[in-house]
Amino acid sequence: MPTTAIQVPVVAARNIQVEASDVQAIVLRPRPKPYRGEYVILRVGDAGQGREMLRRILPHVAPAAEWWVPSLPGWLGIAFTFEGLKALGVPQASLDSFPIEFRQGMAARAAILHDLGANAPGNWEHPFGTPDVHVALALYAKDDETLQKVLELARKAHHDLADISVVYRMRFGELPEGRNPFGFKDGLHNPHVEGSGSVPQAGSGASIKAGEFILGYADENGETAETPVPQELRQNGTFMAFRKFHMDVAAFRRYLRAQASSPEEEELLAAKMVGRWRSGAPLVLAPDQDNPELGSDRNRNNVFSYTDDMKGLKCPFSAHMRRVNPRDALKDEVVAVNLHHFLRRGTNYGPPLPEGVLEDDGAERGGVFLLIGAYLKRQFEFIQSQWVTDGNFISHGTEQDPLIGNNDGDGVFTIPQRPARRRLRGLPQFVTVRGGEYCFIPGLRALRWLAALGSCS
Amino acid sequence: MATQTPTKPEKDQAEKKIQMLRELYADAPEYGRVALEHVIERMKTEPPSGEETSSAGRTGLRRGKVSELTIVFPLAPGGAKRFKAVLDAGGNVNTPDRVGSVHDMRYVFLDNDTRILFATTYDGEWDPYVDDFASHIPDDLDAVFCNCEGWPGIHSPAVKDYIAKYQVTAHAWYVAQPNLTVRDLRKLAKIGPAVEEFLDKIA
């Protein structure tokens, strides 16, 4: 590691093309649409068997260069927790070189992430937060039939290996119209990764240096990560925060009903909390009422800035979308927003709660988010601790994200308006963490390096 | 500790602490021993303040939302002269306004200008924001701290370790408003006059 303060200008970085054939598709490509899928978590009880499983599964891991090829039945991504890398027999020097937050794991970081109360690791589903989570598989397909084929491929990779056990499975799938359980069109924004080969989406903002999202390239600080070691393991890999959320849709609807005096006002309050109307139309562009045409227009629905809404009169400072991706809203602050991005790959699970129902039906529903970036600490952990579960950065005291904060019946949500701001009080917890893990997503050559570990020693 | 009715083990502990204090003060001057007895009397009747002190990230103390950072850096040859000149010119002293989370800062030259004590009170933790500072106010930091022996530069990956090396955690520390951040205070400073004006109008 250099100890002198030499700032190398990153002139060449513009020309660097990310080696998409070696990066896992799950990192760089949006999930298929429509989609069906399953997350499978494996425990590796024997390093040799773990590596055998890896060798078998390798040919089916999708590279970013070939995502969504209609002739293939489905797609598979693979990631490892720190415990998983240990279980596969990764050398100690290599294990020690991983960042502290990854070595500790998400559960151990609960105090930093403000995963308290109902969100505390003690309340998570088994096996999240325990040392039994080793390998996470994400399997995607376009329908149930093809999903079965991909699942079969995964099963064959370990079915005759006695020390590889399936410790968790969960099915996911798209809801009608591609909405999330709360009824909002989402997943409309992701930062554009420079040199990744994808066309920037309208409104995604300035391209972000590849090194923010993939190890082995220059990042926004002009530095190229030198850990973990060796380079064969690091190159084209990245980290992911896996978060499974339960969404209490009935509580959300009841809260809106109680706060509003008309269905129109309910919709407005919901949009104020999210930052977009249900159609996806952003408040900054459609401040007074939904504009479904705008919402469904991919060339327009993400093209906005907060420069002409610096008082938050259209989109509140505290709105979920403005918190997790402030764009230019914090341009007058000493905050380098370009250092606090992640790639967000969301999937939904569970049945939709039928329209108009205000009582919970007891069904498990929500979302699983893969929040991907090269630096968990200054990306996911920063966003979660400073922007989602605190309000000081927007001079809102301890006010949290109205949608995904840890509000427990005592939450507050500030809506700037004239002559005086409105404050909603008594916000319950709409979203609860069901579990989470920090994972390393190796590149394809690195997967082969892992699979070959035993053979050289 | 803040409970009004301490459980028995806590009471025993408090008694033990007082006993230890008295033993330590056996060698102290007479007026010191008398003063200590008065302090002990007061401690028994006055409950301790609500906010407990905890650790703020790497080192340093935290009370409520506020943290302290105390550092004693060695100065480079000729560093003190430059350091004082840049401070006198206003360099760095106005930066906290922009940062928005710094309550106070002080620079004290020690040991015949060979070391400098830097002490500050700030909101939350500095660790999450070090990268932001390096990106947004690198010159404000490098212009003053380059005068310290071995300062690696704010862009260096070694800077966090350098700071930690010379950081000394305060032994005791008082904060009047541990639950008000600089941003909270600024807001209150604005709201106060507005409320007075409102009351003037309706009176």
Side-chain angles (χ1 to χ4, degrees):
Chain A
M1 239 195 226
T3 49
T4 45
I6 303 166
Q7 267 296 84
V8 186
V10 277
V11 187
R14 224 173 304 142
N15 304 320
I16 292 177
Q17 290 292 311
V18 172
E19 195 186 352
S21 61
D22 196 49
V23 178
Q24 288 199 43
I26 206 166
V27 176
L28 280 176
R29 304 286 175 245
R31 54 165 162 63
K33 198 174 163 48
Y35 64 91
R36 278 272 170 277
E38 192 161 312
Y39 296 110
V40 177
I41 295 176
L42 304 173
R43 183 182 181 282
V44 176
D46 173 83
Q49 290 189 13
R51 294 192 292 258
E52 172 60 23
M53 181 268 296
L54 206 48
R55 276 191 284 278
R56 294 183 194 174
I57 221 161
L58 253 162
H60 308 298
V61 177
E66 289 164 34
W67 186 247
W68 200 227
V69 180
S71 59
L72 291 174
W75 303 265
L76 194 151
I78 186 166
F80 305 85
T81 63
F82 184 62
E83 293 298 326
L85 294 179
K86 270 203 263 184
L88 285 169
V90 169
Q92 194 62 40
S94 176
L95 291 172
D96 291 345
S97 70
F98 276 86
I100 180 74
E101 63 275 15
F102 175 72
R103 282 183 277 139
Q104 291 184 334
M106 189 184 283
R109 308 283 285 182
I112 289 167
L113 299 172
H114 301 150
D115 279 342
L116 313 165
N119 291 346
N123 294 320
W124 290 359
E125 281 175 28
H126 188 77
F128 292 114
T130 74
D132 287 336
V133 178
H134 292 171
V135 183
L137 300 175
L139 303 98
Y140 296 84
K142 56 196 169 205
D143 53 43
D144 284 331
E145 198 191 326
T146 44
L147 178 60
Q148 283 311 318
K149 291 183 189 163
V150 192
L151 282 168
E152 187 55 21
L153 288 175
R155 199 186 66 85
K156 278 185 179 158
H158 64 79
H159 70 109
D160 55 345
L161 303 172
D163 292 318
I164 309 293
S165 39
V166 176
V167 289
Y168 188 78
R169 289 178 70 166
M170 74 164 282
R171 190 62 68 92
F172 59 85
E174 188 161 42
L175 293 176
E177 298 174 66
R179 307 269 170 125
N180 69 19
F182 289 122
F184 288 78
K185 196 183 275 180
D186 69 358
L188 297 174
H189 176 91
N190 256 315
H192 180 254
V193 184
E194 188 179 276
S196 63
S198 68
V199 181
Q201 178 206 354
S204 62
S207 294
I208 302 294
K209 295 269 182 272
E212 290 293 308
F213 309 108
I214 306 163
L215 299 167
Y217 303 90
D219 63 23
E220 288 282 320
N221 280 329
E223 286 157 18
T224 303
E226 292 175 2
T227 55
V229 294
Q231 205 231 353
E232 292 95 311
L233 176 61
R234 170 175 80 237
Q235 188 68 33
N236 291 322
T238 189
F239 294 95
M240 143 177 108
F242 179 104
R243 302 274 277 182
K244 181 183 179 186
F245 293 115
H246 172 260
M247 299 180 184
D248 192 343
V249 179
F252 185 63
R253 290 179 185 169
R254 281 198 306 274
Y255 185 77
L256 293 173
R257 180 69 51 93
Q259 299 296 319
S261 52
S262 69
E264 292 74 29
E265 195 189 358
E266 283 182 42
E267 288 307 290
L268 178 66
L269 292 180
K272 291 280 187 188
M273 286 193 207
V274 173
R276 293 183 187 268
W277 299 89
R278 290 183 198 269
S279 73
L283 277 175
V284 172
L285 298 180
D288 302 318
Q289 57 189 26
D290 197 358
N291 180 344
E293 201 190 317
L294 170 65
S296 57
D297 186 345
R298 289 201 54 205
N299 289 317
R300 291 196 294 142
N301 68 15
N302 199 38
V303 186
F304 64 93
S305 106
Y306 293 109
T307 1
D308 63 347
D309 190 31
M310 292 306 274
K311 299 220 180 273
L313 293 169
K314 295 174 188 170
C315 180
F317 302 113
S318 199
H320 170 66
M321 179 185 71
R322 190 167 176 158
R323 281 173 171 267
V324 294
N325 177 28
R327 299 179 185 230
D328 55 354
L330 305 178
K331 63 183 162 64
D332 299 330
E333 314 284 337
V334 180
V335 176
V337 171
N338 62 329
L339 301 180
H340 311 299
H341 283 300
F342 46 54
L343 295 164
R344 180 174 174 271
R345 311 280 176 222
T347 48
N348 294 126
Y349 68 91
L353 186 68
E355 209 55 52
V357 173
L358 293 180
E359 289 307 317
D360 188 31
D361 59 359
E364 279 292 311
R365 63 171 60 83
V368 171
F369 289 85
L370 313 183
L371 308 166
I372 297 168
Y375 305 100
L376 287 168
K377 196 171 172 186
R378 71 167 159 81
Q379 296 173 326
F380 168 70
E381 290 195 341
F382 181 95
I383 293 169
Q384 172 69 18
S385 65
Q386 307 298 315
W387 291 348
V388 170
T389 56
D390 197 14
N392 194 52
F393 77 111
I394 45 173
S395 297
H396 277 25
T398 53
E399 182 172 322
Q400 304 194 34
D401 187 305
L403 203 61
I404 66 168
N406 299 333
N407 296 307
D408 188 16
D410 56 357
V412 171
F413 174 56
T414 305
I415 304 172
Q417 59 183 34
R418 297 229 158 90
R421 90 284 183 277
R422 178 173 178 186
R423 283 221 291 185
L424 304 187
R425 310 189 68 92
L427 263 81
Q429 184 148 18
F430 299 124
V431 172
T432 307
V433 181
R434 283 282 193 260
E437 292 290 340
Y438 286 157
C439 299
F440 178 60
I441 311 179
L444 274 79
R445 278 195 304 273
L447 286 172
R448 286 194 281 275
W449 182 87
L450 285 167
L453 271 177
S455 49
C456 37
S457 60
Chain B
M1 248 174 88
T3 48
Q4 298 284 5
T5 48
T7 57
K8 207 160 185 314
E10 276 177 2
K11 204 171 178 179
D12 288 350
Q13 279 239 306
E15 289 293 340
K16 253 188 202 157
K17 270 186 190 167
I18 289 169
Q19 187 58 34
M20 202 177 71
L21 258 177
R22 285 191 175 120
E23 282 167 20
L24 281 170
Y25 266 68
D27 301 335
E30 167 69 22
Y31 63 86
R33 287 202 303 276
V34 173
L36 177 73
E37 286 309 316
H38 294 158
V39 169
I40 287 172
E41 270 319 298
R42 212 171 54 221
M43 281 184 341
K44 280 179 181 165
T45 53
E46 286 177 10
S49 73
E51 279 301 333
E52 282 197 40
T53 307
S54 62
S55 162
R58 282 189 151 197
T59 33
L61 297 179
R62 179 166 178 162
R63 282 176 89 91
K65 296 178 181 176
V66 185
S67 307
E68 67 88 26
L69 176 73
T70 309
I71 309 173
V72 183
F73 283 136
L75 285 165
K81 199 174 167 192
R82 291 195 298 265
F83 211 134
K84 286 178 183 174
V86 75
L87 291 176
D88 292 346
N92 192 271
V93 182
N94 296 323
T95 313
D97 265 358
R98 288 172 55 208
V99 175
S101 59
V102 178
H103 290 257
D104 67 38
M105 288 195 319
R106 75 186 61 189
Y107 296 93
V108 185
F109 291 85
L110 305 171
D111 302 337
N112 203 19
D113 282 359
T114 57
R115 298 203 293 167
I116 183 160
L117 178 143
F118 171 71
T120 180
T121 306
Y122 63 99
D123 296 323
E125 291 175 42
W126 63 271
D127 216 42
Y129 283 97
V130 165
D131 295 304
D132 300 79
F133 295 163
S135 165
H136 270 56
I137 51 166
D139 300 334
D140 303 76
L141 296 163
D142 278 343
V144 292
F145 291 117
C146 73
N147 297 307
C148 300
E149 187 76 52
W151 174 257
I154 191 68
H155 290 298
S156 165
V159 75
K160 286 186 190 180
D161 288 335
Y162 178 84
I163 294 171
K165 184 179 167 190
Y166 293 109
Q167 189 172 345
V168 279
T169 299
H171 190 84
W173 177 52
Y174 170 79
V175 184
Q177 299 292 343
N179 285 315
L180 291 179
T181 66
V182 172
R183 284 169 184 276
D184 294 335
L185 291 165
R186 282 182 188 167
K187 203 161 120 182
L188 290 173
K190 263 204 291 197
I191 290 174
V195 170
E196 297 293 356
E197 196 184 319
F198 172 75
L199 293 174
D200 287 345
K201 278 181 185 162
I202 62 166

